[in-house]
Amino acid sequence: MTDNPSYKERKVITIGVVSELTGLTERQIRYYEERKLIFPERSPKGNRKYSFGDVEQLLDIANKREEGVQTHEIRQDMLKQQRKEERKNRKELLRGEINARFGIQKD
Amino acid sequence: MTDNPSYKERKVITIGVVSELTGLTERQIRYYEERKLIFPERSPKGNRKYSFGDVEQLLDIANKREEGVQTHEIRQDMLKQQRKEERKNRKELLRGEINARFGIQKD
DNA sequence: CGTGTAAGGAATTCTGACACG
DNA sequence: CGTGTAAGGAATTCTGACACG
């Protein structure tokens, strides 16, 4: 409540800083975007902006690449993981709705 | 434990983004640094880098300035607040040391 | 005091392409 | 496939200074 807790997802970091933070070259970072592994926002004039979450994602990608995993495979894994999360979210949403109607009343 | 919780203090944001985030001009942001109200880091080639914490600090400064508070007064208040925190920290540190010697043993 | 602005230069970022493998 | 690099241009940032008030 004291302030916005979205520091991790706020896209505010330029590519040069991301490069320093991850040890990846700008070329690599842009390429992973081309392969749809990362999704920076753009400033009004077109400069890429990343979040801390993106930086972590890039660190994971870097590890997998070192293990020889191809970007295509990394992408497949990401999509799988994403679907898994969505199922979990739907389940929790449903649980909340049931509780709202039949659960303990708080008011 | 999942990852570094220092997103708030990590200095990674360039002045242009800080300007967008705060609504302040770059001129103003640099001036507040000159008046020692804000302390960005510098990249190897001299570019300023701010944290989310700095952004919040600048938002506070902007509010005070709108109320007509001068930078000098803002700085005085900051220093007072800082000394207050330091006293609190020393007290807690002392408390911890006493506990370590005479408190409940955990091993 | 606090902020705007023009000035000149250096560093940043962008895109599209060629290279290698 | 994944990455390096040279190319040219546009946008960013920096400092020191003059202006106004």
Side-chain angles (χ1 to χ4, degrees):
Chain A
M1 179 145 286
T2 165
D3 47 43
N4 199 324
S6 66
Y7 299 132
K8 182 168 179 181
E9 299 310 330
R10 210 66 193 283
K11 310 247 182 184
V12 297
I13 314 178
T14 54
I15 196 166
V17 177
V18 173
S19 175
E20 290 170 16
L21 256 29
T22 60
L24 296 167
T25 64
E26 298 185 9
R27 179 69 168 99
Q28 288 174 308
I29 298 169
R30 293 196 191 101
Y31 181 67
Y32 299 150
E33 176 183 358
E34 190 183 321
R35 304 316 311 275
K36 300 191 194 304
L37 299 183
I38 197 84
F39 305 92
E41 288 181 0
R42 296 281 182 142
S43 73
K45 292 134 189 171
N47 285 19
R48 274 167 266 246
K49 306 282 204 50
Y50 303 83
S51 67
F52 282 112
D54 292 333
V55 170
E56 289 185 16
Q57 171 73 8
L58 282 167
L59 255 14
D60 285 350
I61 293 169
N63 285 335
K64 294 206 181 146
R65 283 293 303 125
E66 278 181 19
E67 293 168 22
V69 185
Q70 295 199 335
T71 58
H72 179 259
E73 305 176 66
I74 297 175
R75 175 149 165 76
Q76 293 311 315
D77 290 350
M78 272 179 55
L79 293 175
K80 262 181 217 171
Q81 185 59 32
Q82 220 171 79
R83 285 191 288 268
K84 194 174 178 181
E85 307 246 309
E86 278 163 14
R87 281 195 299 277
K88 201 180 78 179
N89 288 343
R90 280 198 297 274
K91 193 183 284 183
E92 283 171 3
L93 182 64
L94 189 61
R95 200 183 181 296
E97 282 171 351
I98 289 171
N99 248 330
R101 295 198 207 165
F102 309 114
I104 299 152
Q105 304 293 319
K106 281 190 181 141
D107 42 286
Chain B
M1 181 146 281
T2 165
D3 47 43
N4 200 325
S6 66
Y7 299 132
K8 183 169 179 181
E9 299 310 330
R10 210 66 193 283
K11 309 246 182 185
V12 297
I13 313 177
T14 54
I15 196 166
V17 177
V18 173
S19 176
E20 290 171 16
L21 255 29
T22 60
L24 295 167
T25 65
E26 298 185 10
R27 179 71 168 96
Q28 288 173 309
I29 297 168
R30 293 196 190 99
Y31 181 66
Y32 299 150
E33 176 183 357
E34 189 182 322
R35 303 317 310 277
K36 297 191 197 302
L37 299 183
I38 197 84
F39 305 92
E41 288 181 359
R42 296 282 182 142
S43 74
K45 293 133 188 174
N47 285 21
R48 274 167 266 248
K49 307 280 203 52
Y50 302 83
S51 68
F52 282 112
D54 292 333
V55 170
E56 288 186 14
Q57 171 73 8
L58 283 167
L59 255 13
D60 285 351
I61 293 171
N63 285 336
K64 295 204 181 150
R65 284 293 303 126
E66 277 181 20
E67 293 169 21
V69 185
Q70 296 199 336
T71 57
H72 180 261
E73 306 176 66
I74 297 174
R75 174 149 167 78
Q76 294 311 314
D77 291 350
M78 272 179 54
L79 293 174
K80 261 182 218 170
Q81 185 58 33
Q82 217 173 83
R83 284 191 289 268
K84 195 173 176 180
E85 306 248 309
E86 278 164 13
R87 281 195 300 277
K88 202 180 77 179
N89 289 342
R90 278 198 299 273
K91 193 183 283 183
E92 283 172 2
L93 182 65
L94 189 60
R95 200 182 180 295
E97 282 172 350
I98 289 171
N99 247 331
R101 295 199 207 166
F102 308 115
I104 298 156
Q105 304 294 319
K106 282 195 181 137
D107 44 284

